[in-house]
């Protein structure tokens, strides 16, 4: 496909500037550039077609099935977009007086209260801009708390081997060292290994439950007790709350700090580079250290912006990505208490429906009832046919379906991790199952055609390492 610089022609740009009505002053020669800047010059029709073509090449939940595990690719109801586009929310400035943004402060307060209720926490900050940013914030909270208690010897964060990659990265970024604990053969934290890992130097544990293989850790209370008994705190990675929201709460499982991804669980589209939001919640004993500020109500019933007394400081400017908060509140209010529970139940139902329909076709990494996602292990298929997880994933592209997450979590070597969105109808799940079964048949009968898949997309198999290490992000004209 042509880039915008390659279409159009000289002089076709839209000229929207009015006639000049002041005296023209020549710019000094020394300040003038030698060559033209090389901007695209296209007519309105051309630019409209260009972006429509581009939009047609992207794929999202509104195009079709998008079962990307550990990502919660939701259908995001348009009503939430409409709410966040209201001029009262968009035409404001963060430096306006509190009096003039009472409604916006109420949005922040109501969302914080709802997240407290959903997560079992006592306060929330909406400042962090993403999940990883929330992790950093939460760990800095833990650090501030330990420092205040004089326990600077606690320098280690325990992370299970199934953790999302951002967990160990955030622990290192906040100045801790990482201790890995293995999962048992049941996919849950190995309690004996955890007991051996904790000690006087334990600052805390980072965990997600359901974990990254889609299982609810049945020993969760024992896990958090072991860490607390050793004097550490427990951090809950709540990026994907789809399976449990409205049903059980990290705070009740024994966690002290949590982040949630509004751009996964609470209806903001993600994958396009943002903006996102990763609010952090904590139990009351950590509240004084919260970042930035939070919305509160004073004795006269006015909404105010209040800083925590021993705040770790700002993690982002002002109130965080506010319009994402508007969408989340709109989503929560439009679902209501019962709707949130139903959403979680459907997420679990859809995942188990697919898991059971596929378990005679592919090995399941853990063959038991899962939460919102499940992991297939294509190790034996690879041995039998030479076709690996990546071949099946690429084959799915030719069937106009987005593949599941591949090669994650790292503890399953040929992993395909599927999270079928809770809003998918049964027919779509059936079609996905049928497609995956066909792909297994292809792997057995004509493995070569899977090795070279996809055959029907504009991009086939990019060199992913080169694309990440040497990205070409600047257009260079041929004549340059
Ligand atoms: C997505 C995700 C994160 C990171 O969130 P970002 O907003 O991408 O920084 C952390 N943990 C888990 C389990 C996730 O799925």
């Amino acid at each position: 496909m042509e880039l915008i610089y390659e279409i159009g022609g000289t002089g076709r740009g839209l000229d929207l500037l009015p006639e000049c009505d002041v005296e023209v002053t020549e710019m000094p020669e020394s300040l003038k550039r030698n060559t033209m800047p090389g901007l695209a010059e296209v007519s309105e029709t051309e630019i409209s077609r260009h972006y429509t073509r581009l939009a047609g090449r992207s794929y999202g939940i509104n195009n079709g099935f998008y079962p990307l595990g550990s990502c919660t690719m939701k259908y995001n109801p348009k009503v939430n977009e409409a709410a966040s586009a209201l001029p009262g929310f968009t035409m404001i400035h963060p430096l306006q007086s509190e009096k003039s943004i009472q409604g916006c402060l109420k949005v922040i307060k109501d969302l914080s209260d709802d997240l407290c209720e959903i997560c079992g926490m006592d306060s929330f900050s909406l400042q962090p801009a993403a999940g990883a940013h929330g992790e950093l914030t939460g760990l800095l909270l833990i650090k501030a708390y330990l420092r205040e208690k004089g326990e600077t010897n606690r320098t280690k964060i325990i992370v299970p081997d199934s953790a999302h990659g951002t967990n160990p990265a955030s622990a290192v970024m906040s100045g801790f060292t990482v201790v890995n604990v293995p999962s048992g053969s049941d996919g849950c934290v190995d309690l004996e290994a955890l007991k051996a890992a904790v000690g006087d130097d334990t600052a805390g544990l980072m965990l997600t439950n359901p974990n990254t293989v889609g299982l609810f850790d049945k020993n969760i209370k024992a896990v958090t007790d072991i860490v607390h008994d050793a004097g550490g705190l427990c951090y809950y990675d709540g990026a994907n709350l789809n399976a449990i929201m409205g049903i059980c709460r990290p705070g009740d499982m024994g966690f002290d700090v949590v982040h949630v991804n509004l751009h996964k669980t609470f209806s903001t589209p993600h994958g396009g580079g943002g903006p996102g939001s990763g609010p952090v919640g904590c139990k009351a004993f950590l509240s004084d250290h919260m970042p930035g500020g939070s919305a509160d109500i004073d004795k006269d019933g006015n909404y105010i912006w209040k800083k925590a007394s021993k705040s770790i400081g700002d993690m982002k400017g002002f109130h965080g990505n506010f319009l994402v908060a508007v969408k989340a509140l709109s989503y929560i209010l439009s679902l209501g208490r019962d709707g949130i529970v139903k959403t979680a139940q459907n997420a679990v139902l859809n995942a188990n429906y697919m898991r059971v329909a596929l378990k005679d076709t592919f090995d399941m990494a853990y063959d038991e009832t899962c939460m919102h996602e499940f992991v297939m292990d294509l190790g034996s298929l690879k041995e039998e046919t030479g076709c690996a997880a990546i071949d099946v994933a690429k084959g799915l592209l030719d069937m106009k379906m987005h593949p599941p997450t591949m090669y994650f979590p790292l503890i399953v070597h040929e992993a395909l991790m599927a999270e079928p969105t809770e809003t998918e109808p049964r027919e779509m799940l059936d079609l996905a199952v049928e497609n995956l079964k066909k792909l297994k048949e292809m792997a057995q009968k004509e493995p070569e055609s899977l090795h070279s898949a996809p055959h029907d997309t504009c991009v086939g198999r990019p060199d992913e390492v080169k694309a990440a290490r040497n990205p070409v992000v600047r257009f260079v004209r041929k004549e340059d």
Side-chain angles (χ1 to χ4, degrees), residues 3 63 83 91 173 183 192 207 222 292 312 352 400 414 454 477:
L3 299 178
N63 299 87
M91 305 294 279
M173 285 284 286
S183 312
E192 292 312 311
L207 201 72
I312 57 169
N352 280 290
K400 307 261 179 287
E414 288 295 332
R477 253 174 223 285

Side-chain angles (χ1 to χ4, degrees), residues 417-438:
M417 178 192 204
E419 179 178 355
T421 309
E422 76 280 353
T423 41
E424 289 301 346
R426 182 172 171 175
E427 294 75 23
M428 183 54 87
L429 303 179
D430 287 338
L431 180 62
V433 167
E434 195 184 308
N435 284 347
L436 282 162
K437 285 185 173 170
K438 272 190 207 149

Side-chain angles (χ1 to χ4, degrees), residues 31-280:
L31 294 180
K32 285 189 183 164
R33 54 187 301 155
N34 298 322
T35 52
M36 288 300 282
L39 299 176
E41 292 192 73
V42 285
S43 69
E44 184 166 333
T45 319
E46 284 168 321
I47 201 167
S48 162
R49 288 186 184 149
H50 176 71
Y51 284 111
T52 305
R53 264 200 308 270
L54 269 183
R57 289 179 61 160
S58 95
Y59 185 93
I61 197 89
N62 293 316
N63 299 87
F65 195 50
Y66 206 138
L68 208 53
S70 195
C71 278
T72 309
M73 302 305 294
K74 280 212 170 201
Y75 166 68
N76 298 302
K78 300 296 169 271
V79 64
N80 307 323
E81 296 294 328
S84 75
L86 291 172
F89 293 135
T90 58
M91 305 294 279
I92 51 166
H93 192 280
L95 290 176
Q96 265 178 246
S97 69
E98 282 170 1
K99 221 175 102 202
S100 66
I101 50 164
Q102 286 291 299
C104 298
L105 291 174
K106 178 170 163 49
V107 166
I108 293 176
K109 173 87 171 91
D110 287 357
L111 178 62
S112 304
D113 288 351
D114 288 352
L115 292 176
C116 280
E117 170 89 24
I118 290 169
C119 296
M121 293 288 141
D122 297 313
S123 46
F124 251 92
S125 164
L126 304 190
Q127 257 198 353
H133 197 201
E135 292 169 27
L136 177 68
T137 306
L139 289 166
L140 292 178
L141 279 183
I142 293 177
K143 196 169 192 178
Y145 171 77
L146 291 174
R147 186 176 294 155
E148 187 181 42
K149 284 195 6 177
E151 298 188 16
T152 45
N153 53 309
R154 297 193 177 272
T155 54
K156 298 202 168 133
I157 292 286
I158 298 169
V159 178
D161 57 1
S162 64
H164 194 267
T166 49
N167 289 189
S170 301
V172 170
M173 285 284 286
S174 40
F176 292 108
T177 43
V178 174
V179 179
N180 250 296
V181 286
S183 312
S185 56
D186 58 356
C188 299
V189 175
D190 180 335
L191 291 182
E192 292 312 311
L194 179 63
K195 278 182 201 153
V198 295
D200 290 348
D201 55 0
T202 302
L205 163 89
M206 291 182 93
L207 201 72
T208 182
N209 186 36
N211 60 23
T212 45
V213 295
L215 303 178
F216 192 96
D217 198 315
K218 55 190 181 297
N219 303 317
I220 192 62
K221 200 69 182 65
V223 168
T224 54
D225 282 348
I226 290 171
V227 177
H228 283 149
D229 289 347
L233 300 187
C234 295
Y235 183 98
Y236 183 92
D237 178 339
N240 311 284
L241 273 192
N242 240 20
I244 65 156
M245 58 179 185
I247 294 174
C248 65
R249 316 191 304 170
D252 301 333
M253 299 176 206
F255 289 92
D256 308 295
V257 192
V258 46
H259 86 263
V260 294
N261 280 19
L262 299 188
H263 50 288
K264 285 181 184 168
T265 310
F266 295 100
S267 187
T268 274
H270 69 112
S277 178
V280 164

